[in-house]
Amino acid sequence: MPSYNNSIIQQTNVNSNSFDKIYSPFELLYISILGTLKTLAYIFSYTVIFSLIPTVLLTHLALPSTLKTVIVGIFELSNGINNIASLDLNLNYKLVLVSFVLSFSSLMILMQIFSFVFKARVKFKDLVKYKLLQGVLSSAITYIITKYIYIPILPAFLNLLTSPISAITLDVNFFPTPGI
């Protein structure tokens, strides 16, 4: 394989409007692999950093488990939601917490977004402020829905999710046979 220097990468700057040079398929493959590796390095490094920060911080603080779980969710989405699901809380409160964490989308995801849109002069402070507002509104709406509007299908759906597969019975005669 030919040795490529950085001139190919420098010539394919994303912000460049010059598409005069025609690249061979191998050069395009090489450039796309390098771009993918760079993107994955950003994502994985943020994942490691934002998984370690709450672990280090929360081991030295004496906080209630619910608050620790929300803090983990603010830093890292998937661990936060997994921890919320394992809390010993009423389902309504779990839904409110999950709604907040999903709407806020964690600092890890916000940093990933910011690392790609910072050239558009988006301020990280504004991004966090509006995502916090979205999280608060989402959790308030979820609280109102779960507290004051009864959703009759929810208990049946949750029972279906928690029951073993062998306990689920399907009605084979759901679609009647014609002519019988």
Side-chain angles (χ1 to χ4, degrees), residues 90 92-93 96 140-150:
N90 184 352
N92 294 348
Y93 297 122
V96 169
I141 291 169
T142 303
Y143 177 77
I144 290 168
I145 288 173
T146 58
K147 183 75 173 175
Y148 300 109
I149 301 173
Y150 179 70

Side-chain angles (χ1 to χ4, degrees), residues 11-154:
Q11 291 172 3
T12 58
N13 188 356
V14 177
N15 295 329
S16 171
N17 292 328
S18 169
F19 294 103
D20 297 336
K21 180 162 174 31
I22 298 174
Y23 295 101
S24 73
F26 294 111
E27 289 174 329
L28 290 174
L29 180 64
Y30 175 77
I31 292 166
S32 67
I33 288 172
L34 285 181
T36 301
L37 289 175
K38 183 179 175 183
T39 302
L40 287 174
Y42 280 132
I43 292 170
F44 290 144
S45 63
Y46 284 124
T47 302
V48 169
I49 290 168
F50 284 101
S51 293
L52 288 176
I53 289 173
T55 304
V56 171
L57 286 177
L58 296 177
T59 55
H60 301 296
L61 296 175
L63 297 172
S65 63
T66 306
L67 184 58
K68 283 185 177 182
T69 301
V70 171
I71 291 172
V72 169
I74 287 173
F75 277 96
E76 207 272 319
L77 183 78
S78 56
N79 286 334
I81 291 177
N82 188 29
N83 292 348
I84 290 171
S86 65
L87 283 176
D88 188 27
L89 287 176
N90 184 352
L91 177 64
N92 294 348
Y93 297 122
K94 285 183 183 182
L95 288 173
V96 169
L97 291 175
V98 167
S99 177
F100 174 81
V101 170
L102 281 175
S103 294
F104 178 68
S105 73
S106 82
L107 287 173
M108 180 188 74
I109 292 174
L110 292 177
M111 285 299 294
Q112 289 174 6
I113 292 168
F114 186 71
S115 70
F116 292 103
V117 299
F118 74 95
K119 291 181 182 176
R121 297 186 181 154
V122 175
K123 294 181 182 175
F124 186 71
K125 186 171 98 174
D126 291 341
L127 183 64
V128 171
K129 179 174 64 174
Y130 291 123
K131 290 301 281 184
L132 273 172
L133 179 64
Q134 181 180 355
V136 168
L137 289 175
S138 176
S139 58
I141 291 169
T142 303
Y143 177 77
I144 290 168
I145 288 173
T146 58
K147 183 75 173 175
Y148 300 109
I149 301 173
Y150 179 70
I151 305 172
I153 192 130
L154 188 61

